[in-house]
Amino acid sequence: MPRITINNITREVPEGITVFEAARETGIRVPSLCRMESFQPTGACRVCVVEVEGAKNLVASCTTPVSEGMVIKTNTKRVRDARRLAVELILSEHNGNCQTCDRNNTCELQSLAFELGIDNIGFTGEPACSRTDMSTEALIRDNAKCIKCRRCVVACNEIQTVGALFPQYRGFNTLIGPAFNYNLADVTCVQCGQCAAVCPVGAIIEVSHIERVWSALDDPSKVVVVQTAPAVRASLGECFDYPPGTLVTGKMTAALRRMGFHHVFDTNFTADLTIIEEGMELLTRIKKAFVEKQKVALPQFTSCSPGWINFMEAFYPEFLPNLSTCKSPQQMFGAVAKTYLSKKYGCRPEDMYVVSVMPCTAKKYEAARPEMNSSGVRDVDAVLTTRELGKMIKQAGIDFPLLPDEEMDKPLGVSSGAADIFANTGGVMEAALRTAFEVITGKKLPFNQMHVEAISGLEGIKETELTITGTKEEWSFLEGVTLKLVVAHGLGNARKVVDAVKSGEKEYHFVEIMTCPGGCIGGGGQPRPTTDEVRKKRIEAIYREDEGKALRQSHDNPKIKQLYGDFLGFPLGELAHKLLHTHYTEKERI
Amino acid sequence: MIDEDLKAADCSCKTDSIIDEMAAIFNENTITEGSLIPILQKAQTRLGYLPVQALRYIAARLNKSLSEVAGVVGFYSFFSTVPRGKYVIRVCLGTACYVRGGKEVLSALEKHLGITVGQTTDDRVFSLEVGRCFGACGLAPVIMINEEVYQRVKPVKVGEILAPYKMREAEMEAVK
């Protein structure tokens, strides 16, 4: 362990860490606009410079490893001046318009400029030319605000292996974006929004649905219904300075009512419904394969995550039959609301306005898919990210911390704990197993709290096996069968899993994929920043929510039973098929 | 900097022949992890430039995104996405050439040819580009015309340097 001195504190630090990390371990914060946790540093922004004794120039602390006897100073005039200079140079070509920027008050560049005490920009740079790319349903890019830190390039290429964004051209002319400065819609982009999640400034943001939601709420002819995804309750608090991992389900419900939504419901409800449909689909496929010896598409891949769907349509069209035909819970909700509920309320589907609050940007794209109109009209009218809901609550003048805890409305606000865990990696698989295991054996999933330890946590790819014993009569063909299961999150990891299946190296029965690292709790629409530390806290909160519920299994949800009894018929039945299932289309990969 | 030119240049296309040429390159070469730049060089040698169809083909074959391939092409001044002239004139603006008048040489060439950097003359005979050091600093300022190096170039002499090329072209025109 090398011994270093940093701002007169001498201590031992782990071998191989960088000066940046050593400073942080010592309780010294070094600013950075480009660093991304657990990725190879790029050294692009130059604001993390420090003084190292014996080095002629200041060094970028993020790219400099510690060495024995190193003497580091992070707070000298020379360092402060250099950081200020770097930020002033960035600002001189940054076409920011802070007051009207989406990131006003949450911008890393803005707060760093304040922190460094920049009161004057000493350079008149040529401001980057503004070209706003609004070609996609989910994301807006503005090159004029881009500071070329390349975090989005890491997110798009290394985490997601999609490759829509890459540095184009060179030097001052560098643009971060698609090939030849095309629009995002002209290349393969899955609209996951991980780029927007890591952007330090307002160069990549979500397409705002705030105004259309306010308009709907102001329209007396509309019945406005809202659904909130499970991941939102574990992160919305961060918009109001609560620490990550604070559950705000009750306050969120109260806020939505005060904003004027007529019915406050839960995407959890249709997560439970997804488990019934997707679980039955899986068991049907397995039965066909085992009993009827038919050729069926196995493994079955989950289909809740719209970025993953976009990814498969472009990169692995040959595996589209393996995707569960189940719509995502968001779209199931829209279809059920505009048929079952609208009938109940005596309004026409076109008079109902369905808003969803999602941790996700790709959900905006999903809601706009032309096939998502099972009710005859668009099933989900507007999709707000967690961040957008936070803004709307502020715009409404609601003092969030003072709100009471309220319960969601019946029937579509009733859900099990199995639905909550849809929010994190491993959760959909666990929820499915809780139900499937009981269906097959009549017994509860035999784990502590029904948690499948092997597939929880932030490991990128998690495999497990489950041997089925004690089956009920009609499932006896599964007696002694070992189900092979795998869970992956982040599309780079998903790619590895699909490649392994493709090459025949691995065989699975059921595969859960979530587009974003950590699952939906780490989605592209979540409050910034999302680090592994934050992901863990949000996941803990979700498990608390799950464990705190009396209902822990999707099939125990009484309102789900009622929905089938009163309306849908039976799982995978004709109406269920029409409203709850979909199909996929191969897309050109560019 | 939207490359409308590029899109326009590619519309006139002979896509099939481009794809054939690219397929040939992939057949003739062993493809490894680091194949992108060598493949791009070969493609440019064959086609004279790198049309977007060629880049899309290369991206698909190498399992890379078009954005990444275009990013590499855009980074190196050697690569061109627009058709170039028969003779590519590269003016060195590396430090030594710059201080010894490279910029004036460039201006003279621009004036003489009636084009600016990155452009090609209407008759597709000359293209004008800028380079960053050809490794001949002792001979500064330097220009290259295709593989030919011209040293200690004076702005007033650019016409003289280009004359033989123009003459050759005129003769070939006459033969036709």
Side-chain angles (χ1 to χ4, degrees):
Chain A
M1 294 239 290
R3 209 172 165 72
I4 62 162
T5 304
I6 182 161
N7 295 357
N8 298 324
I9 302 164
T10 302
R11 56 173 304 202
E12 284 188 345
V13 291
E15 187 86 43
I17 69 167
T18 62
V19 172
F20 184 95
E21 289 159 335
R24 205 167 51 177
E25 285 207 359
T26 316
I28 297 162
R29 211 173 57 80
V30 173
S32 170
L33 290 172
C34 69
R35 189 176 177 277
M36 268 177 80
E37 187 192 26
S38 57
F39 286 92
Q40 192 71 27
T42 54
C45 77
R46 315 313 290 177
V47 302
C48 73
V49 287
V50 296
E51 226 173 299
V52 172
E53 219 173 77
K56 203 169 83 193
N57 296 320
L58 298 176
V59 302
S61 62
C62 70
T63 56
T64 309
V66 291
S67 58
E68 181 55 43
M70 203 179 228
V71 179
I72 304 151
K73 290 205 168 73
T74 72
N75 180 27
T76 62
K77 179 170 171 19
R78 196 173 161 216
V79 166
R80 286 190 303 269
D81 286 350
R83 287 181 187 165
R84 249 198 305 259
L85 184 72
V87 173
E88 273 183 57
L89 283 165
I90 293 170
L91 287 169
S92 74
E93 60 170 279
H94 175 68
N95 208 336
N97 301 320
C98 292
Q99 300 90 329
T100 53
C101 180
D102 181 74
R103 294 297 296 274
N104 191 8
N105 262 332
T106 63
C107 172
E108 293 179 41
L109 179 61
Q110 191 186 42
S111 30
L112 186 57
F114 175 74
E115 194 178 300
L116 294 174
I118 294 175
D119 49 10
N120 177 44
I121 299 165
F123 309 94
T124 319
E126 187 185 326
C129 73
S130 183
R131 189 178 87 80
T132 315
D133 172 3
M134 306 212 279
S135 62
T136 61
E137 290 289 339
L139 298 164
I140 298 180
R141 298 184 317 115
D142 184 356
N143 275 121
K145 291 180 181 170
C146 176
I147 61 167
K148 295 160 195 172
C149 72
R150 295 157 198 238
R151 281 189 196 166
C152 59
V153 176
V154 173
C156 194
N157 290 270
E158 292 184 39
I159 300 178
Q160 302 297 51
T161 63
V162 168
L165 304 173
F166 207 82
Q168 308 293 331
Y169 312 108
R170 189 175 185 166
F172 184 77
N173 296 322
T174 304
L175 288 174
I176 308 296
F180 307 117
N181 205 13
Y182 286 172
N183 280 332
L184 207 45
D186 297 333
V187 297
T188 301
C189 162
V190 301
Q191 310 199 26
C192 67
Q194 284 298 307
C195 51
V198 296
C199 182
V201 295
I204 312 181
I205 58 171
E206 64 268 50
V207 173
S208 173
H209 286 188
I210 290 178
E211 280 317 311
R212 62 169 90 165
V213 173
W214 283 135
S215 302
L217 288 168
D218 284 344
D219 183 345
S221 71
K222 296 272 186 224
V223 178
V224 189
V225 167
V226 65
Q227 55 163 323
T228 54
V232 178
R233 65 208 63 184
S235 64
L236 179 67
E238 292 163 40
C239 298
F240 303 95
D241 298 328
Y242 286 91
T246 310
L247 278 170
V248 294
T249 322
K251 287 192 193 317
M252 174 179 76
T253 308
L256 291 166
R257 279 210 185 95
R258 279 154 184 72
M259 285 161 71
F261 288 101
H262 302 123
H263 302 280
V264 181
F265 291 133
D266 207 341
T267 314
N268 274 13
F269 177 82
T270 36
D272 278 335
L273 191 57
T274 300
I275 287 301
I276 307 297
E277 290 289 326
E278 189 165 342
M280 286 312 290
E281 185 188 1
L282 176 65
L283 291 175
T284 308
R285 287 193 197 205
I286 288 176
K287 193 170 181 181
K288 277 185 184 159
F290 280 73
V291 182
E292 294 151 34
K293 307 285 175 206
Q294 283 183 31
K295 240 183 119 64
V296 287
L298 280 174
Q300 179 175 307
F301 294 120
T302 56
S303 59
C304 309
S305 186
W308 155 245
I309 298 297
N310 295 341
F311 181 81
M312 289 298 272
E313 288 180 324
F315 292 100
Y316 295 98
E318 68 272 32
F319 278 99
L320 292 181
N322 293 68
L323 282 172
S324 162
T325 58
C326 285
K327 285 181 186 171
S328 72
Q330 162 177 284
Q331 293 307 132
M332 283 196 186
F333 184 97
V336 169
K338 289 201 179 181
T339 52
Y340 174 65
L341 265 192
S342 66
K343 217 157 129 190
K344 235 181 153 92
Y345 297 158
C347 70
R348 296 178 308 163
E350 45 271 51
D351 295 331
M352 183 178 272
Y353 196 88
V354 174
V355 177
S356 59
V357 186
M358 294 284 143
C360 183
T361 52
K363 288 279 172 197
K364 290 178 188 270
Y365 172 83
E366 183 186 52
R369 276 177 174 257
E371 65 271 23
M372 293 299 175
N373 58 353
S374 310
S375 61
V377 294
R378 184 173 155 157
D379 294 331
V380 174
D381 298 281
V383 180
L384 299 168
T385 61
T386 311
R387 298 188 292 258
E388 286 175 273
L389 177 60
K391 283 184 186 166
M392 287 184 81
I393 293 172
K394 286 177 190 167
Q395 286 171 19
I398 294 167
D399 198 342
F400 193 79
L402 295 184
L403 289 172
D405 286 341
E406 292 183 7
E407 295 270 318
M408 290 187 194
D409 294 319
K410 291 183 178 67
L412 269 51
V414 177
S415 66
S416 76
D420 284 301
I421 58 174
F422 265 61
N424 49 265
T425 171
V428 174
M429 174 76 76
E430 183 174 314
L433 290 179
R434 286 184 194 176
T435 286
F437 198 81
E438 187 161 305
V439 167
I440 297 167
T441 66
K443 292 190 284 280
K444 298 244 180 295
L445 196 59
F447 301 115
N448 178 31
Q449 289 277 5
M450 289 192 276
H451 291 321
V452 189
E453 197 92 5
I455 52 166
S456 62
L458 289 179
E459 188 70 39
I461 299 174
K462 297 165 286 186
E463 286 179 316
T464 192
E465 292 184 347
L466 185 67
T467 305
I468 300 170
T469 51
T471 49
K472 291 204 271 191
E473 177 77 41
E474 70 256 50
W475 299 101
S476 58
F477 66 92
L478 283 175
E479 185 65 39
V481 166
T482 300
L483 290 181
K484 292 183 180 160
L485 312 165
V486 67
V487 170
H489 55 119
L491 293 173
N493 292 321
R495 185 185 284 281
K496 285 182 199 154
V497 169
V498 184
D499 282 342
V501 171
K502 195 173 171 177
S503 70
E505 183 198 327
K506 296 276 185 184
E507 274 187 39
Y508 301 110
H509 296 102
F510 191 35
V511 179
E512 179 210 281
I513 305 286
M514 293 192 189
T515 303
C516 295
C520 311
I521 51 93
Q526 291 283 56
R528 303 176 182 96
T530 297
T531 60
D532 273 351
E533 213 37 55
V534 173
R535 286 185 186 98
K536 281 183 199 148
K537 296 246 169 67
R538 290 178 189 158
I539 292 175
E540 283 164 21
I542 291 292
Y543 280 125
R544 277 204 307 281
E545 185 87 336
D546 164 35
E547 287 161 15
K549 281 193 179 165
L551 295 175
R552 300 287 309 286
Q553 306 180 116
S554 297
H555 59 280
D556 291 339
N557 185 335
K559 297 295 173 192
I560 292 282
K561 289 179 193 163
Q562 193 185 334
L563 177 67
Y564 279 110
D566 291 355
F567 182 67
L568 284 175
F570 49 92
L572 305 184
E574 200 187 321
L575 189 56
H577 189 80
K578 180 173 171 269
L579 294 180
L580 311 179
H581 291 256
T582 185
H583 58 273
Y584 308 106
T585 319
E586 179 173 352
K587 285 182 191 150
E588 192 183 11
R589 180 196 154 182
I590 303 167
Chain B
M1 213 182 3
I2 307 167
D3 282 2
E4 288 304 332
D5 295 355
L6 170 95
K7 280 188 184 166
D10 281 325
C11 288
S12 59
C13 53
K14 347 106 210 170
T15 305
D16 289 348
S17 66
I18 291 172
I19 300 299
D20 290 346
E21 292 277 359
M22 291 302 105
I25 292 173
F26 277 86
N27 284 339
E28 289 157 18
N29 294 278
T30 332
I31 304 303
T32 60
E33 191 65 27
S35 284
L36 177 58
I37 289 178
I39 293 280
L40 289 170
Q41 285 172 315
K42 291 190 173 83
Q44 180 157 302
T45 307
R46 288 218 187 188
L47 302 171
Y49 72 114
L50 294 167
V52 73
Q53 294 96 327
L55 299 184
R56 286 188 63 167
Y57 184 90
I58 292 168
R61 286 293 298 263
L62 296 178
N63 215 5
K64 292 179 185 299
S65 70
L66 180 63
S67 296
E68 178 176 352
V69 172
V72 171
V73 168
F75 185 83
Y76 294 102
S77 60
F78 174 80
F79 293 126
S80 172
T81 52
V82 286
R84 297 194 297 178
K86 192 167 170 188
Y87 304 106
V88 179
I89 306 169
R90 293 196 176 89
V91 181
C92 181
L93 288 183
T95 312
C97 290
Y98 190 94
V99 299
R100 299 195 57 171
K103 208 125 189 239
E104 286 71 35
V105 174
L106 179 63
S107 303
L109 281 163
E110 284 181 332
K111 220 166 137 191
H112 190 88
L113 296 166
I115 55 173
T116 58
V117 171
Q119 291 183 331
T120 299
T121 52
D122 287 339
D123 57 6
R124 292 242 173 139
V125 175
F126 295 106
S127 290
L128 190 56
E129 288 178 6
V130 164
R132 306 282 170 193
C133 195
F134 303 150
C137 307
L139 311 172
V142 172
I143 69 168
M144 282 178 80
I145 302 179
N146 288 356
E147 303 301 308
E148 204 70 43
V149 179
Y150 294 84
Q151 51 174 341
R152 299 210 172 87
V153 179
K154 292 192 173 63
V156 291
K157 299 276 187 182
V158 297
E160 241 170 74
I161 292 171
L162 296 182
Y165 294 93
K166 286 187 170 171
M167 201 129 63
R168 215 172 306 158
E169 276 311 296
E171 279 166 16
M172 283 178 69
E173 240 353 88
V175 172
K176 268 190 209 164

